[in-house]
Amino acid sequence: MSDDSRIHVKGWLRIKHLALLVTLDDSRNLHATARHMNMSQPAASKMLKDIETFFGMTLFYRQPRTMEITDAGRLLVRYARSILNDTDRLIDDLVSLREGGYGKLVIGSVPGAAPLLLPKAINTIKSRRPQLAVTLFENSSDRLLAELEYKRLDVMIGRVTEHAQHHLFDFLPLQAEPVSIVVRAGHPLCERPPSLGEVVRWPWVLHPMSSPMRGLFEVALAEAGVSTPRNVVETTSTQTTLQLVSASDAIALLPTSILKTAVSAGQFTALPLVIGEPLGYYGVLTRKGEEISDVVAEFIDTLLMRDAL
């Protein structure tokens, strides 16, 4: 694309065009999109046609009851979401500045980092910036990466799940993440060391198949010639997992770091079974090629400092 073409796109494309594409991708219905955007359906249809004409590509195929997105549409919607989320953050930051606020930091983290590493780093940065608004979301790496890409997070503690993601994110390693097989205190499996073949016959609480931790588990089972548990509840919530395990005979696979306080309180026990290697280093992820704010830079420095202690 020539420099003139880039200038032409920047001069023509509007926020309302991006909002229409994202809303249409969510609803896959032009009538619902028009209603959501407080405009008539003919006006929404014309706007979509104008966008497609401008780019010279079909973005959505019109079906009798739905709209099917094309590869070009998917690419454009991906960038539209990022720009709209960035715009929302700009508005929030301007409002905060006007009202005398002190900024906002939105962090995403895998469960293994949350119990030990993050509280220390958050306490440190809050001691330096007492009125900084800090929001923390805990989830698996695959889900957090999507949030980071679309600019719903400022920084993420986790790991890349596909090699191609190295082109999207910068990664600073922090520490490895061993995992443990966890049961409630007094579980029947605590009476003697069980085999892997025994534990898969019990109910399990596991991350979804797309998560690195679940992948580690499935590889270990396959290498041992043991079938996958059939009685499974899937969740990425650490709190829900611990509640389910504490109230039943269910078994869970969790980062070992989560258990350090819980095990000391006598609520849970790690079974003497090794599931594969540690998940590998998790670290700090930020969007590649994007200048990070002073707050994010200070937070990362705090994490690296704590990791070195």
Side-chain angles (χ1 to χ4, degrees):
M1 180 176 287
S2 67
D3 289 340
D4 287 344
S5 297
R6 295 176 193 274
I7 293 171
H8 188 40
V9 170
K10 294 174 182 177
W12 184 84
L13 200 60
R14 298 287 185 267
I15 292 292
K16 64 181 180 181
H17 296 140
L18 305 180
L20 178 112
L21 294 175
V22 168
T23 306
L24 185 55
D25 184 47
D26 290 338
S27 68
R28 299 300 173 93
N29 182 284
L30 201 55
H31 179 72
T33 296
R35 185 173 63 249
H36 180 82
M37 296 186 65
N38 295 316
M39 60 194 306
S40 67
Q41 182 169 334
S45 181
K46 181 180 183 304
M47 185 182 293
L48 176 60
K49 185 64 177 176
D50 288 344
I51 299 170
E52 291 180 323
T53 300
F54 179 80
F55 285 104
M57 296 179 177
T58 299
L59 303 179
F60 288 88
Y61 291 123
R62 283 72 165 168
Q63 305 291 348
R65 295 185 179 180
T66 188
M67 305 282 284
E68 182 181 343
I69 194 168
T70 66
D71 289 341
R74 192 172 292 109
L75 179 64
L76 196 51
V77 165
R78 172 184 165 188
Y79 282 96
R81 289 187 187 278
S82 178
I83 292 169
L84 291 177
N85 288 330
D86 217 13
T87 304
D88 287 341
R89 182 58 185 272
L90 171 64
I91 294 170
D92 290 342
D93 287 347
L94 288 173
V95 170
S96 175
L97 185 63
R98 185 177 61 199
E99 295 177 352
Y102 289 81
K104 184 177 182 181
L105 177 63
V106 185
I107 308 163
S109 175
V110 293
L116 301 175
L117 187 67
L118 271 178
K120 296 177 181 178
I122 291 173
N123 284 338
T124 298
I125 198 167
K126 285 289 288 181
S127 69
R128 299 171 183 169
R129 300 172 179 255
Q131 298 188 60
L132 174 69
V134 177
T135 303
L136 173 63
F137 295 100
E138 184 180 316
N139 215 321
S140 58
S141 286
D142 56 319
R143 298 189 180 186
L144 291 174
L145 286 167
E147 299 294 294
L148 181 63
E149 180 181 356
Y150 292 131
K151 300 189 177 181
R152 298 188 186 104
L153 300 175
D154 296 319
V155 62
M156 171 187 155
I157 315 300
R159 60 179 59 79
V160 293
T161 58
E162 299 175 9
H163 290 297
Q165 291 166 343
H166 287 286
H167 298 289
L168 298 175
F169 309 108
D170 288 323
F171 178 84
L172 285 172
L174 290 174
Q175 55 186 237
E177 184 180 12
V179 295
S180 297
I181 295 179
V182 180
V183 295
R184 62 172 174 80
H187 192 286
L189 289 174
C190 297
E191 296 176 2
R192 60 178 177 81
S195 67
L196 199 55
E198 287 180 84
V199 297
V200 296
R201 294 195 289 268
W202 290 78
W204 280 80
V205 185
L206 294 167
H207 274 211
M209 283 289 190
S210 59
S211 75
M213 195 181 330
R214 181 66 178 274
L216 179 81
F217 180 64
E218 296 296 336
V219 167
L221 293 181
E223 290 178 347
V226 176
S227 60
T228 299
R230 295 184 178 180
N231 186 353
V232 174
V233 173
E234 292 188 348
T235 178
T236 59
S237 168
T238 302
Q239 189 60 38
T240 299
T241 298
L242 292 175
Q243 289 177 351
L244 288 170
V245 171
S246 67
S248 70
D249 286 336
I251 306 170
L253 187 69
L254 289 168
T256 303
S257 59
I258 288 176
L259 303 177
K260 291 188 177 179
T261 56
V263 170
S264 64
Q267 298 178 6
F268 303 97
T269 299
L271 296 179
L273 283 171
V274 177
I275 294 293
E277 299 295 327
L279 280 174
Y281 279 83
Y282 62 77
V284 184
L285 290 110
T286 53
R287 290 178 290 275
K288 187 177 288 293
E290 181 176 305
E291 184 178 355
I292 61 175
S293 67
D294 292 342
V295 171
V296 172
E298 184 176 341
F299 176 71
I300 292 174
D301 288 343
T302 303
L303 282 171
L304 296 175
M305 177 188 68
R306 289 290 176 182
D307 186 53
L309 293 179

